[in-house]
Amino acid sequence: MADHLDLHTVGDLLHHYPRRYAERGELTRLSDLPLDEHVTVVAQVADARVHTFNGGRGRRLEVTITDGSGRLQLVFFGKGVHKPRSELQPGTRAMFAGKVSVFNRKRQLAHPEFKTLGAESGAEAVEAFAHQLLPLYPACKQMESWQIQQAIDTVLGPAGHEEAALAGLIDPLPDSLREGRGLATLPEALRKIHRPATKTDIALARDRLKWDEAFVLQVALARRRRADAQLPAAPRKPVPDGLLTAFDARLPFTLTEGQRRVSEEIFADLATDHPMHRLLQGEVGSGKTMVALRAMLGVVDAGGQAAMLAPTEVLAQQHHRSITEMMGELAEGGMLGGAEQGTKVVLLTGSMGAAARRQALLDLVTGEAGIVIGTHALIEDKVQFHDLGLVVVDEQHRFGVEQRDALRSKGKQPPHLLVMTATPIPRTVAMTVFGDLETSVLDQLPAGRSPIASHVVPAKDKPHFLTRAWERVREEVAAGHQGYVVCPRIGDDAGDEGDASKGAASPSLEDEAEKRPPLAVVEVAEQLTKGPLSDLRVEVLHGRMQPEAKDDVMRRFAAGEVDVLVATTVIEVGVNVPNATAMVIMDADRFGVSQLHQLRGRVGRGSAAGLCLLVTDMPEASPARARLGAVAATLDGFELSRIDLEQRREGDVLGQAQSGVRSSLRVLAVIDDEEVIAAAREEAAAIVADDPELTGYPELRTALDALLDKEREEYLDKG
C-alpha cells in the first residue's frame, strides 16, 4: 500500500477517499436476471457442493439458490470458498449481490457478496442491504478497492462505534470557523465519507473535507505572502527624463489602456521596499513583452539591472532581437552612436562562442549592461551581476522553481520578480497555485492585431477537407504570406520531442486514430514537398537541430525566404513573424486545449487575418472532437483554459510542473469549488494577520507541517 498508493499511515488511509459509490440496487427476481448487470437477489440455498480440480489442488464451491421464480448458480474459488461453505448451508435464506455472467450457457454469479438473513429479518433488512452505498476507492493492480475498504473497516471498527476510533484526530479547522460555516466535525465527515447511509451524508462529508484542503493550502500561501512582505528589497523608482521617458517618446504607437494600467501596478510594486511578486498574464499578442520591457527600463533608470529568463534559445534570441529593435540607439549605451541615456542589452545563451560569452559576463559584472536576456545559462554560478534589481520570467510553466530561486539569489538583496504567462489561468487556479503572487491581467489586444479564423478539418471523415486545407495554404503563400504546419513529434522514434503528448489531455483509445504513432515533422515535410506543396519553399524546425541551424531557419523564415515552416511545438511561444497568416496543426487532438491556443497565436500577428486549421482523424462524436470544436469556437484564452482544466482536472496544474510536488488535492476541484477557495482565502488571511505564528492554532500548525513536508516547504520558499 505504501509503495503503490503512497499510503503510509492510518491518517493517509483515512484521507484516501472513495472515488464514487455503487448501489447494490433494486431487488431482482431470479427469473428476470439481466446479463452483465449488477443485481441484488434474496433467495434460499437449495444445494452447495465443493468440487476439486488440478489433481485436488484447486477447489470450487458451487451453490444453487432459488427464490420460487427460478434457480441460479453461485461459484466461489480458492481461499474464497471457506466463508460461504460454512455459512451457506442448504435451507439458509440470504441476500446476494454481484454481476450476472454466463458459464456453460447457464447464468451465474461469481464470488457474489452475501449476507445471511435470520428468520426474523424483515423487508427493512433486505432494503438496507440492497440500497447500501458501497465505496469504490482509487486503487491499483496490487491493491484492489475491496482490500482498501477492508483496511479502512479495520481502522474504523464496528459500525456505530467509529467515533472511538476517530477520537484522537487533529482537526485543522478552528472551531469558530467550522461552526460559523455550519460544517461537520472531522470524525463525522470521515465516518460519512467512508460509511455513508445516504447521499446526503456524502455531500456533507465532502463539503467539510473540501474546506480542510482549501483552508490549509490558503493559510500556507497567506503566511508565504506575509513573509515576503517582510523581506527587504531596494525600491526602484524610474528617474524623470531618463531611459524610460526616452523610450516612450520613440514608440510609434500608443500603449493600450490595459498596458498602461498594468504598468502602473508594476511601477507601484517596484517603488516599495519589499520584493514585488507579480504574475502578468495576457493573451498571446496582448503586449506583455512591452510591459515587461518598460519595467526593466524603469529599473535601469533607478541604477539597477534587469534579467529576462526565456525557456528556449530560440525565444531568448527572439526577445533580444525584438527588444534591441524597439529600443534602437537606446540599446547601445556606451557605444559610438548610442544614445547618452542608453544602456547595453546583452544576450547570454549556452551556445554562444567563448569570446562573446566572456564579454557578456564582463558587461554584467561591471554594470555596463543594464538588461540581459538569456536561457537558464543565466543561472550558472559564474554569472554575476553588478546590482540585479528585477527578474522577468517568461512562460512560467516551463521554469522550475529551483531555477527561479537560483537567479533570485544573485541579487545583493532579493530582486523584484515578474512572471509572465500567455496561458491564461482561471482566477481560482491563480489563487490556488500562484496564491503568493499578485496577478495582473492584460485582456485587450493591441491595435493592428488581426482576427484568427479557426476550423476543424476532419481528415478521416472528409478527406476532401484536407485537400482544401493545403489549397488554402497555397492561396496564402500566393498572396505573399507564409504558413506553419505543426506536428506532434520530430520523427525517427515515437519517444522524441513530442511536446504535444506532454501538454495534451491523456489520449483515450477512442478509435484507431489514437493507435497509430503521432504524425512527425520529418515525414510530413517530405510528403508535402513531394505532394500538395511541391513548388513551395518548405523547411523543417525542431528541437533536435543544432542551435545554429535552428536560428538560421527561423531567421530565413522571418526574412520571408521560406514559405512554409513544418515544425514541432518549438514555435509555441514567442515566435513573432507578422507575415505568417496560416497554420495547419496535424493530429490536433494530440495537443492540450491551452497548447492549441498558444500555437494559434503565432498567426494573425500582422495586418492580415489569420487562419488556423485543426486537422484530426477522430470521429465526430468523440470527446477529442468536442475539445477541438471548443478551440475553434472561441479566441478567449480564459474560457479555453477553463475547458482544458475541466477535462484534465488539476493534477496537471498542481502537479510537478507547477508546484514541484504532486497535487495534494483529493476532494477539492479547483474549477468547481471557486467559492470555497475564495472564502478559504479570506478566512486564512484574517487568521494569519491576527496570529502570524499560529500560536493559538496548534492543530492548524500540525496540519500545515503535514502539507508542507520538506519538499513542498522548499517549493513555497522558492516559489
Side-chain angles (χ1 to χ4, degrees), residues 321-625:
R321 210 167 22 240
S322 63
I323 283 174
T324 47
E325 277 166 19
M326 282 194 276
M327 287 175 63
E329 72 271 15
L330 295 175
E332 296 165 0
M335 292 186 239
L336 275 175
E340 106 194 62
Q341 70 271 66
T343 185
K344 213 167 180 184
V345 179
V346 300
L347 175 69
L348 192 60
T349 64
S351 64
M352 284 169 72
R357 193 181 167 76
R358 254 198 317 277
Q359 185 59 52
L361 291 172
L362 188 64
D363 288 342
L364 285 179
V365 78
T366 59
E368 187 85 9
I371 294 177
V372 58
I373 294 145
T375 55
H376 46 89
L378 275 179
I379 297 164
E380 291 169 11
D381 291 344
K382 28 182 191 301
V383 180
Q384 300 204 334
F385 290 86
H386 177 64
D387 179 13
L388 181 61
L390 170 67
V391 175
V392 178
V393 179
D394 189 22
E395 281 312 314
Q396 146 67 22
H397 63 287
R398 295 178 172 233
F399 262 105
V401 166
E402 287 74 22
Q403 292 153 311
R404 287 204 321 242
D405 185 53
L407 191 55
R408 273 221 311 281
S409 65
K410 293 187 177 291
K412 295 193 172 73
Q413 43 192 343
H416 299 281
L417 176 69
L418 180 65
V419 171
M420 300 198 294
T421 177
T423 308
I425 301 163
R427 176 172 158 269
T428 38
V429 182
M431 278 168 31
T432 309
V433 186
F434 301 111
D436 54 341
L437 296 174
E438 297 300 323
T439 306
S440 293
V441 178
L442 274 175
D443 44 17
Q444 287 169 286
L445 289 184
R449 288 303 299 264
S450 302
I452 304 170
S454 306
H455 304 282
V456 178
V457 178
K460 204 165 190 175
D461 305 352
K462 300 178 179 166
H464 60 286
F465 274 38
L466 185 57
T467 310
R468 177 73 190 117
W470 300 126
E471 283 171 13
R472 284 292 291 113
V473 173
R474 299 177 65 86
E475 286 163 16
E476 290 297 315
V477 173
H481 299 302
Q482 294 161 277
Y484 299 99
V485 177
V486 183
C487 303
R489 67 186 182 100
I490 299 169
D492 310 339
D493 57 321
D496 57 27
E497 184 191 322
D499 303 18
S501 52
K502 290 178 221 158
S506 57
S508 59
L509 293 172
E510 295 169 332
D511 147 283
E512 288 305 306
E514 277 294 12
K515 293 181 184 159
R516 66 164 172 74
L519 290 171
V521 166
V522 182
E523 293 145 28
V524 169
E526 192 179 339
Q527 287 161 11
L528 292 175
T529 46
K530 288 181 179 164
L533 306 183
S534 57
D535 52 342
L536 301 184
R537 298 169 297 177
V538 177
E539 294 265 2
V540 299
L541 178 71
H542 56 71
R544 283 229 221 103
M545 290 162 61
Q546 288 300 317
E548 305 79 56
K550 266 194 285 199
D551 208 40
D552 179 54
V553 171
M554 260 330 293
R555 192 185 48 70
R556 287 187 295 117
F557 185 64
E561 295 162 22
V562 175
D563 297 321
V564 177
L565 191 60
V566 184
T568 55
T569 50
V570 289
I571 62 155
E572 180 184 356
V573 276
V575 172
N576 186 20
V577 180
N579 191 44
T581 53
M583 175 176 286
V584 180
I585 302 179
M586 307 303 290
D587 277 344
D589 47 89
R590 310 277 179 129
F591 297 84
V593 170
S594 297
Q595 203 173 19
L596 290 170
H597 181 58
Q598 280 272 31
L599 286 164
R600 168 172 63 184
R602 302 297 113 220
V603 294
R605 300 179 78 85
S607 53
L611 171 70
C612 178
L613 301 174
L614 306 165
V615 180
T616 178
D617 279 354
M618 290 313 225
E620 192 157 3
S622 62
R625 275 283 282 280

Side-chain angles (χ1 to χ4, degrees), residues 611-689:
L611 171 70
C612 178
L613 301 174
L614 306 165
V615 180
T616 178
D617 279 354
M618 290 313 225
E620 192 157 3
S622 62
R625 275 283 282 280
R627 211 167 62 227
L628 296 179
V631 176
T634 177
L635 289 171
D636 180 342
F638 284 91
E639 180 52 35
L640 287 174
S641 65
R642 257 190 116 81
I643 293 169
D644 201 12
L645 260 182
E646 280 162 2
Q647 295 195 328
R648 296 203 279 170
R649 307 307 293 163
E650 42 285 319
D652 292 3
V653 180
L654 301 181
Q656 294 288 349
Q658 301 286 7
S659 68
V661 72
R662 92 195 149 79
S663 167
S664 61
L665 301 190
R666 293 189 170 98
V667 281
L668 190 71
V670 170
I671 283 285
D672 303 337
D673 298 318
E674 195 154 348
E675 278 126 37
V676 177
I677 292 169
R681 186 179 169 105
E682 276 176 32
E683 296 274 12
I687 280 180
V688 170

Side-chain angles (χ1 to χ4, degrees), residues 215-227:
F215 179 69
V216 175
L217 189 56
Q218 291 300 340
V219 167
L221 292 168
R223 294 186 72 204
R224 178 77 250 123
R225 283 194 301 277
R226 191 178 181 285

